[in-house]
Amino acid sequence: YWGESYYTDLIDLRLGGIARELELEDRQSRLQQELRERMAMEDHLKTEEELSEEKRILNEMLEVVEQRDALVALLEEQRLREKEEDKDLEAAMLSKGFSLNWS
């Protein structure tokens, strides 16, 4: 028995990661929509403030994409680690004469 807190922590991390991914996806979508609306006007008709705001939105979008990429990589790393732990557990159980079926 590995303790309930171990599995609770894994579940919390996974659900938290999923929630964060959805939050970032929503933020990216809203930024893209806002940028599309702003870019509908030709640049030579925009004020310096409007051009600066477009640049800020674009930079924020890039940050959100980077955060999403990092989160996806973290979740994938966690998934692979859990898979390896399952293999180790199965090997330990098999070595003691137990038979497991993970399907």
Side-chain angles (χ1 to χ4, degrees):
Y1 181 72
W2 294 22
E4 184 178 321
S5 67
Y6 171 78
Y7 291 107
T8 302
D9 290 346
L10 285 177
I11 291 169
D12 287 347
L13 178 60
R14 178 158 293 146
L15 292 176
I18 289 170
R20 180 66 177 147
E21 186 174 6
L22 291 173
E23 177 185 317
L24 290 171
E25 183 179 338
D26 180 59
R27 181 69 185 145
Q28 182 180 351
S29 177
R30 284 186 278 125
L31 287 168
Q32 286 173 335
Q33 180 61 35
E34 186 177 351
L35 188 59
R36 274 194 296 274
E37 291 169 3
R38 290 180 174 275
M39 293 181 79
M41 183 191 303
E42 294 185 33
D43 284 349
H44 71 277
L45 300 175
K46 298 174 187 173
T47 65
E48 287 297 320
E49 183 178 298
E50 290 170 324
L51 291 170
S52 177
E53 183 63 12
E54 277 184 19
K55 185 175 181 178
R56 184 201 63 77
I57 292 169
L58 185 57
N59 286 333
E60 187 174 345
M61 279 178 54
L62 293 173
E63 288 176 20
V64 168
V65 168
E66 289 174 1
Q67 289 175 18
R68 285 183 69 192
D69 287 348
L71 181 58
V72 167
L74 176 67
L75 291 173
E76 178 63 10
E77 180 181 313
Q78 177 189 345
R79 186 190 69 77
L80 293 173
R81 185 173 45 248
E82 290 171 8
K83 187 176 181 179
E84 191 62 35
E85 289 171 357
D86 287 347
K87 285 181 183 178
D88 291 345
L89 177 59
E90 183 176 11
M93 298 295 281
L94 289 173
S95 73
K96 296 184 186 267
F98 295 102
S99 176
L100 301 175
N101 184 1
W102 294 102
S103 47

